[in-house]
Amino acid sequence: MSVGKVYARRAAVLASTAALTLTGLATVAPSAQAAMPTPVSAATARTYLASLTVKAEGSLTGYNRDLFPHWITQSGACNTRETVLKRDGSGVVTDSSCASVSGSWYSQYDGATWTAASDLDIDHVVALAEAWRSGANSWSTSQRQAFANDLSRPQLIAVTDNVNQAKSDLDPAKWLPSRTAYRCTYARAWVHVKHHYGLSVDSAEKSALQSVLNGC
Protein backbone atom coordinates (compact mmCIF):
# COMPACT_ATOMS: atom_id res chain seq x y z
CA MET A 1 0.00 0.00 0.00
CA SER A 2 1.39 3.44 -0.93
CA VAL A 3 2.22 6.01 1.75
CA GLY A 4 -0.55 8.23 0.39
CA LYS A 5 -3.13 5.49 0.74
CA VAL A 6 -1.95 4.63 4.25
CA TYR A 7 -2.32 8.21 5.42
CA ALA A 8 -5.62 8.59 3.62
CA ARG A 9 -6.90 5.49 5.43
CA ARG A 10 -5.74 6.82 8.79
CA ALA A 11 -7.24 10.22 8.11
CA ALA A 12 -10.56 8.55 7.33
CA VAL A 13 -10.44 6.57 10.57
CA LEU A 14 -9.61 9.66 12.59
CA ALA A 15 -12.38 11.63 10.90
CA SER A 16 -14.82 8.85 11.69
CA THR A 17 -13.72 8.84 15.33
CA ALA A 18 -14.17 12.61 15.53
CA ALA A 19 -17.66 12.34 14.05
CA LEU A 20 -18.64 9.71 16.58
CA THR A 21 -17.30 11.87 19.38
CA LEU A 22 -19.54 14.73 18.30
CA THR A 23 -22.58 12.46 18.55
CA GLY A 24 -21.50 11.04 21.89
CA LEU A 25 -21.02 7.56 20.44
CA ALA A 26 -17.24 7.33 20.31
CA THR A 27 -15.75 4.17 21.75
CA VAL A 28 -13.76 4.83 24.90
CA ALA A 29 -10.54 3.05 25.76
CA PRO A 30 -11.25 -0.62 26.55
CA SER A 31 -11.63 -1.01 30.30
CA ALA A 32 -9.56 -4.19 30.31
CA GLN A 33 -6.66 -2.56 28.51
CA ALA A 34 -3.42 -2.17 30.40
CA ALA A 35 -1.40 1.03 30.25
CA MET A 36 1.94 2.58 31.04
CA PRO A 37 2.81 2.99 34.74
CA THR A 38 0.62 5.63 36.39
CA PRO A 39 2.48 8.94 36.68
CA VAL A 40 2.66 10.93 39.90
CA SER A 41 -0.37 13.00 40.88
CA ALA A 42 -0.83 16.55 39.57
CA ALA A 43 0.04 17.93 43.01
CA THR A 44 3.26 15.93 43.14
CA ALA A 45 4.05 16.83 39.53
CA ARG A 46 3.70 20.53 40.38
CA THR A 47 6.12 20.04 43.28
CA TYR A 48 8.55 18.13 41.07
CA LEU A 49 8.32 20.75 38.34
CA ALA A 50 9.17 23.52 40.79
CA SER A 51 12.34 21.63 41.73
CA LEU A 52 13.62 21.04 38.20
CA THR A 53 16.58 23.06 36.93
CA VAL A 54 15.45 25.70 34.44
CA LYS A 55 17.93 26.42 31.68
CA ALA A 56 18.07 26.92 27.93
CA GLU A 57 18.05 23.71 25.94
CA GLY A 58 21.46 22.40 25.03
CA SER A 59 22.76 21.60 21.57
CA LEU A 60 22.11 18.44 19.58
CA THR A 61 25.79 18.34 18.66
CA GLY A 62 26.98 14.75 18.92
CA TYR A 63 23.48 13.32 19.24
CA ASN A 64 22.62 10.00 17.62
CA ARG A 65 19.74 7.67 18.48
CA ASP A 66 22.23 4.81 18.58
CA LEU A 67 23.70 6.41 21.70
CA PHE A 68 20.45 5.34 23.41
CA PRO A 69 20.38 1.56 22.76
CA HIS A 70 16.68 0.81 22.59
CA TRP A 71 14.34 -2.10 22.10
CA ILE A 72 16.60 -4.36 24.08
CA THR A 73 15.53 -7.85 25.11
CA GLN A 74 13.17 -7.75 28.10
CA SER A 75 12.13 -11.38 28.53
CA GLY A 76 12.61 -14.46 26.37
CA ALA A 77 12.14 -13.42 22.74
CA CYS A 78 10.40 -10.15 23.65
CA ASN A 79 12.13 -6.81 23.22
CA THR A 80 10.95 -3.51 24.69
CA ARG A 81 8.72 -2.56 21.75
CA GLU A 82 6.97 -5.93 21.77
CA THR A 83 6.57 -5.81 25.55
CA VAL A 84 4.88 -2.38 25.41
CA LEU A 85 2.60 -3.46 22.54
CA LYS A 86 1.43 -6.43 24.58
CA ARG A 87 1.04 -4.30 27.72
CA ASP A 88 -0.88 -1.46 26.06
CA GLY A 89 -3.15 -3.57 23.86
CA SER A 90 -6.32 -5.55 24.45
CA GLY A 91 -6.56 -9.21 23.44
CA VAL A 92 -3.04 -9.19 22.04
CA VAL A 93 -1.85 -12.46 20.52
CA THR A 94 1.86 -12.93 19.81
CA ASP A 95 3.73 -15.47 17.73
CA SER A 96 6.78 -17.52 18.72
CA SER A 97 9.09 -14.54 18.11
CA CYS A 98 6.90 -12.29 20.32
CA ALA A 99 5.56 -10.26 17.39
CA SER A 100 1.96 -9.11 17.89
CA VAL A 101 -0.20 -10.81 15.25
CA SER A 102 -3.59 -9.59 16.46
CA GLY A 103 -5.17 -7.39 19.09
CA SER A 104 -6.60 -3.93 19.56
CA TRP A 105 -4.79 -0.74 20.58
CA TYR A 106 -6.31 2.54 21.70
CA SER A 107 -4.00 5.50 21.09
CA GLN A 108 -4.31 7.82 24.08
CA TYR A 109 -2.84 10.78 22.19
CA ASP A 110 -5.49 11.00 19.47
CA GLY A 111 -8.29 8.59 20.42
CA ALA A 112 -7.81 6.27 17.44
CA THR A 113 -8.14 2.48 17.73
CA TRP A 114 -5.95 0.16 15.65
CA THR A 115 -5.95 -3.60 15.05
CA ALA A 116 -2.54 -3.90 13.39
CA ALA A 117 0.64 -3.50 15.42
CA SER A 118 2.29 -1.90 12.39
CA ASP A 119 0.04 1.14 12.90
CA LEU A 120 1.60 1.81 16.32
CA ASP A 121 4.85 3.45 17.36
CA ILE A 122 6.23 3.21 20.86
CA ASP A 123 6.65 6.82 21.92
CA HIS A 124 9.31 7.95 24.35
CA VAL A 125 7.24 10.49 26.29
CA VAL A 126 10.41 12.49 26.84
CA ALA A 127 12.06 12.02 23.47
CA LEU A 128 15.64 10.82 23.25
CA ALA A 129 16.79 14.03 21.54
CA GLU A 130 14.94 16.11 24.15
CA ALA A 131 16.70 14.16 26.89
CA TRP A 132 20.05 14.76 25.17
CA ARG A 133 19.45 18.52 25.14
CA SER A 134 18.34 18.39 28.79
CA GLY A 135 21.32 16.60 30.28
CA ALA A 136 21.54 13.08 28.87
CA ASN A 137 24.48 14.11 26.70
CA SER A 138 26.64 13.63 29.79
CA TRP A 139 25.27 10.19 30.69
CA SER A 140 26.96 6.86 30.21
CA THR A 141 25.69 4.48 27.53
CA SER A 142 24.16 2.25 30.21
CA GLN A 143 22.23 5.20 31.66
CA ARG A 144 20.92 6.13 28.23
CA GLN A 145 19.93 2.52 27.58
CA ALA A 146 17.98 2.39 30.84
CA PHE A 147 16.17 5.62 29.90
CA ALA A 148 15.30 4.42 26.40
CA ASN A 149 13.83 1.13 27.66
CA ASP A 150 12.26 2.24 30.95
CA LEU A 151 9.17 0.15 31.72
CA SER A 152 9.00 1.21 35.37
CA ARG A 153 8.16 4.86 34.80
CA PRO A 154 5.59 6.49 32.44
CA GLN A 155 8.11 6.92 29.63
CA LEU A 156 6.90 4.46 26.95
CA ILE A 157 3.45 4.26 25.37
CA ALA A 158 1.98 2.73 22.20
CA VAL A 159 0.36 5.43 20.04
CA THR A 160 -0.67 6.05 16.42
CA ASP A 161 2.54 6.02 14.41
CA ASN A 162 2.10 9.22 12.40
CA VAL A 163 1.00 11.09 15.55
CA ASN A 164 4.25 10.04 17.21
CA GLN A 165 6.18 11.12 14.12
CA ALA A 166 4.46 14.51 14.17
CA LYS A 167 5.40 14.93 17.83
CA SER A 168 9.02 14.13 16.97
CA ASP A 169 11.28 15.51 19.73
CA LEU A 170 9.07 18.47 20.64
CA ASP A 171 8.51 19.44 24.27
CA PRO A 172 5.09 20.43 25.73
CA ALA A 173 5.59 24.10 24.80
CA LYS A 174 5.44 23.00 21.15
CA TRP A 175 3.34 19.81 21.21
CA LEU A 176 0.59 18.29 23.35
CA PRO A 177 -1.76 15.36 22.59
CA SER A 178 -4.71 16.42 20.44
CA ARG A 179 -6.94 14.43 22.81
CA THR A 180 -7.30 17.08 25.50
CA ALA A 181 -8.57 14.58 28.07
CA TYR A 182 -5.09 13.03 28.12
CA ARG A 183 -3.06 16.20 28.47
CA CYS A 184 -3.04 16.14 32.27
CA THR A 185 -1.72 12.57 32.31
CA TYR A 186 0.85 13.47 29.66
CA ALA A 187 2.14 16.47 31.64
CA ARG A 188 2.30 14.41 34.83
CA ALA A 189 4.23 11.70 32.98
CA TRP A 190 6.64 14.21 31.43
CA VAL A 191 7.48 15.81 34.77
CA HIS A 192 7.71 12.40 36.49
CA VAL A 193 10.31 11.22 33.96
CA LYS A 194 12.33 14.44 33.92
CA HIS A 195 12.40 14.55 37.72
CA HIS A 196 13.46 10.93 38.05
CA TYR A 197 16.32 11.35 35.61
CA GLY A 198 17.39 14.81 36.78
CA LEU A 199 16.78 16.44 33.42
CA SER A 200 16.34 20.19 33.03
CA VAL A 201 13.45 22.15 31.53
CA ASP A 202 13.54 25.38 29.55
CA SER A 203 11.35 28.32 30.57
CA ALA A 204 8.71 27.88 27.83
CA GLU A 205 8.47 24.16 28.57
CA LYS A 206 8.01 24.85 32.29
CA SER A 207 5.30 27.42 31.63
CA ALA A 208 3.40 25.05 29.36
CA LEU A 209 3.59 22.27 31.93
CA GLN A 210 2.47 24.58 34.73
CA SER A 211 -0.52 25.64 32.65
CA VAL A 212 -1.61 22.05 32.04
CA LEU A 213 -0.98 20.91 35.61
CA ASN A 214 -2.86 23.84 37.09
CA GLY A 215 -5.92 22.69 35.21
CA CYS A 216 -5.71 19.08 36.37
Side-chain angles (χ1 to χ4, degrees):
M1 185 180 289
S2 70
V3 172
K5 289 181 179 178
V6 169
Y7 280 86
R9 171 178 59 78
R10 291 181 188 156
V13 171
L14 293 176
S16 176
T17 300
L20 287 171
T21 299
L22 290 175
T23 59
L25 297 175
T27 302
V28 297
S31 59
Q33 181 169 303
M36 69 178 184
T38 302
V40 294
S41 68
T44 299
R46 287 191 289 268
T47 299
Y48 282 2
L49 180 59
S51 73
L52 295 180
T53 298
V54 180
K55 59 189 294 188
E57 282 192 343
S59 167
L60 270 182
T61 299
Y63 170 74
N64 189 303
R65 284 180 65 85
D66 292 342
L67 295 173
F68 292 78
H70 52 291
W71 307 168
I72 61 172
T73 299
Q74 291 289 343
S75 177
C78 302
N79 66 23
T80 307
R81 171 183 164 82
E82 293 156 348
T83 300
V84 174
L85 282 171
K86 188 171 183 179
R87 181 198 72 188
D88 288 4
S90 178
V92 178
V93 176
T94 57
D95 62 18
S96 59
S97 64
C98 202
S100 297
V101 295
S102 65
S104 177
W105 292 267
Y106 179 83
S107 172
Q108 295 284 2
Y109 287 0
D110 58 330
T113 297
W114 304 101
T115 57
S118 58
D119 286 318
L120 285 300
D121 275 356
I122 307 305
D123 179 44
H124 289 93
V125 172
V126 177
L128 305 183
E130 167 67 20
W132 180 271
R133 293 190 297 258
S134 304
N137 60 319
S138 66
W139 292 354
S140 66
T141 298
S142 62
Q143 286 175 306
R144 289 192 285 262
Q145 176 174 296
F147 176 83
N149 298 276
D150 191 349
L151 296 173
S152 298
R153 277 149 289 276
Q155 164 66 343
L156 299 171
I157 184 172
V159 297
T160 303
D161 54 4
N162 49 306
V163 171
N164 178 55
Q165 290 151 23
K167 173 193 169 183
S168 186
D169 62 350
L170 302 177
D171 69 34
K174 303 179 181 72
W175 188 94
L176 287 168
S178 61
R179 183 170 165 258
T180 56
Y182 197 69
R183 288 182 179 178
C184 181
T185 302
Y186 184 80
R188 288 159 48 209
W190 184 280
V191 174
H192 186 155
V193 171
K194 282 220 161 177
H195 179 268
H196 178 81
Y197 285 97
L199 296 171
S200 64
V201 291
D202 63 48
S203 57
E205 174 188 353
K206 182 175 181 178
S207 293
L209 288 163
Q210 284 176 324
S211 179
V212 175
L213 292 172
N214 286 341
C216 292

